[in-house]
Amino acid sequence: MAANNSGAPAEGTDRQYEILIALVDADPDIERRVVIPDQITLADLHLVIQAAMGWANSHLHAFTTPDGVTYGDSSLDELGYADESDVVVADVLRAPRDTLRYEYDFGDSWEHHVELVAVRSGEQSLPDAPACIAGRGACPPEDCGGVGGYHELREALTNPSPEHDAELREWAEEFIDLPLDVDAFDLAAADAAVRDLADADGRMLWSDPGG
């Protein structure tokens, strides 16, 4: 199926996907649930994930299917990645329980489990998808070293001792808001960030910059 460059659902379809996004190996859990039109591209889904999670979209990313096909930005074609803007979500997530792996920041390697939870249509549909409908856990700070680095940072901030690197605390004081609350999640803010990715008629703004 060819990508729908307007960002709107394909003609004759009005399906929405409810998708779970979970940061792999996070403790405590860091998860988001979003609802999206099933005909948006993987490039669009990338931005929905960024907005819902709270990432800054300042690093490279990629999607990988269970059978090993990897999609990314067109600039990554030299790595053998397929162009994520050429495939719609419904091409790779076809039924509930279908999954993708989403990696953000190849240095820190934040890996996310992306799973199709439910397919909505008719009265089940939201009038203004995309939206973030649930979540828990604060998004980790950018550039803190992945899940392992985030754990070390939390230890350095919550249990100061000579065993913990003072440089971590100094870095935190400069680059993140303190005190660090690992459970903080503002659903209204996450939902607003996701909704801001589409215009009033539901079209994804980044898919049709010419209007």
Side-chain angles (χ1 to χ4, degrees):
M1 182 185 298
N4 179 351
N5 292 328
S6 71
E11 184 178 354
T13 69
D14 60 355
R15 298 192 311 168
Q16 295 175 351
Y17 278 180
E18 181 177 334
I19 290 179
L20 169 68
I21 305 153
L23 189 61
V24 175
D25 294 331
D27 183 18
D29 292 340
I30 301 173
E31 299 178 349
R32 306 288 186 263
R33 282 182 184 256
V34 299
V35 176
I36 61 169
D38 71 332
Q39 295 295 310
I40 67 172
T41 68
L42 286 180
D44 297 335
L45 178 58
H46 153 66
L47 292 180
V48 171
I49 293 172
Q50 288 284 308
M53 286 293 297
W55 295 121
N57 196 19
S58 56
H59 299 282
L60 296 172
H61 67 277
F63 292 93
T64 303
T65 67
D67 56 1
V69 179
T70 300
Y71 299 90
D73 184 88
S74 59
S75 65
L76 300 176
D77 59 354
E78 62 185 27
L79 299 178
Y81 294 179
D83 189 343
E84 65 185 4
S85 66
D86 288 339
V87 60
V88 298
V89 175
D91 285 343
V92 290
L93 296 175
R94 297 180 175 87
R97 291 188 164 184
D98 283 357
T99 64
L100 289 169
R101 186 185 70 192
Y102 171 79
E103 182 181 4
Y104 172 59
D105 185 349
F106 297 164
D108 281 5
S109 190
W110 300 103
E111 291 197 9
H112 304 69
H113 172 79
V114 179
E115 180 175 347
L116 175 56
V117 175
V119 179
R120 298 168 176 240
S121 61
E123 293 182 356
Q124 299 173 319
S125 300
L126 294 181
D128 48 3
C132 181
I133 61 172
R136 56 178 169 172
C139 184
E142 300 266 350
D143 304 316
C144 70
V147 171
Y150 183 39
H151 176 75
E152 291 180 9
L153 176 62
R154 296 199 321 257
E155 286 295 305
L157 294 174
T158 59
N159 300 300
S161 74
E163 298 177 358
H164 295 135
D165 192 347
E167 291 184 1
L168 278 177
R169 296 193 295 274
E170 293 176 0
W171 176 87
E173 290 172 356
E174 181 176 358
F175 291 105
I176 66 176
D177 293 331
L178 297 175
L180 185 67
D181 183 355
V182 300
D183 296 318
F185 173 65
D186 186 335
L187 176 58
D191 185 40
V194 171
R195 290 176 187 269
D196 282 348
L197 297 173
D199 66 12
D201 68 2
R203 291 188 305 164
M204 297 299 180
L205 296 175
W206 59 85
S207 295
D208 189 15

